[in-house]
Amino acid sequence: MQVLYTAEVSATGDGRNGHVASSDGILDFDVATPKEMGGVGGATNPEQLFAAGFAACYHSALRLVARRAGVSVEGSRVDARVGIGPNGSGGYGLEVWLTVSLPALEPGAAQQLADAAHQVCPYSNATRGNIDVHIEVAK
């Protein structure tokens, strides 16, 4: 693989209760364990960051496959939810739900694009076989 871009981010502090910053200074904020996991909340967390990255990356892949197919995806949207919980082996695992909204397309055509995007998206390729990723087309 020819690397086109490398993101560089450092985490400091106490892991989930600390600070993250990118080498270019664009990303620079505190992270905190969510209240639902026994933390104080009040700041973003790794699951939100992962959801944001997955949603943006998948939406880009969706627009790419639509463009290749000559289909307009005007007004499209991708919502990502990332769940975390015990994996039964002493650690934790993730689960992802992507909801794709393509208001200008019929449900069947929208599902075809959503499935095609899942084959192209780097996040989908990285997680395939590792975590459950559910893709649904909004009604």
Side-chain angles (χ1 to χ4, degrees), residues 36-112:
E36 296 84 351
M37 293 178 64
V40 297
T44 193
N45 58 66
E47 291 70 40
Q48 287 178 334
L49 295 171
F50 189 70
F54 209 144
C57 186
Y58 182 87
H59 197 201
S60 182
L62 182 70
R63 295 179 66 78
L64 172 69
V65 297
R67 188 170 48 254
R68 287 179 178 169
V71 176
S72 172
V73 290
E74 187 69 31
S76 61
R77 175 179 167 155
V78 175
D79 295 320
R81 297 186 325 263
V82 173
I84 184 171
N87 64 8
S89 300
Y92 288 84
L94 300 175
E95 191 167 13
V96 175
W97 295 265
L98 298 174
T99 303
V100 180
S101 177
L102 295 164
L105 298 180
E106 296 296 322
Q111 189 64 57
Q112 285 182 333

Side-chain angles (χ1 to χ4, degrees), residues 3 6 18 24 71 93 101 109-110 115 135:
V3 175
T6 301
D24 61 8
V71 176
S101 177
D115 292 342
I135 298 174

Side-chain angles (χ1 to χ4, degrees), residues 6-30:
T6 301
E8 298 178 18
V9 176
S10 298
T12 57
D14 186 20
R16 288 181 163 273
N17 298 301
H19 193 85
V20 293
S22 60
S23 60
D24 61 8
I26 293 173
L27 188 100
D28 188 1
F29 48 83
D30 292 336

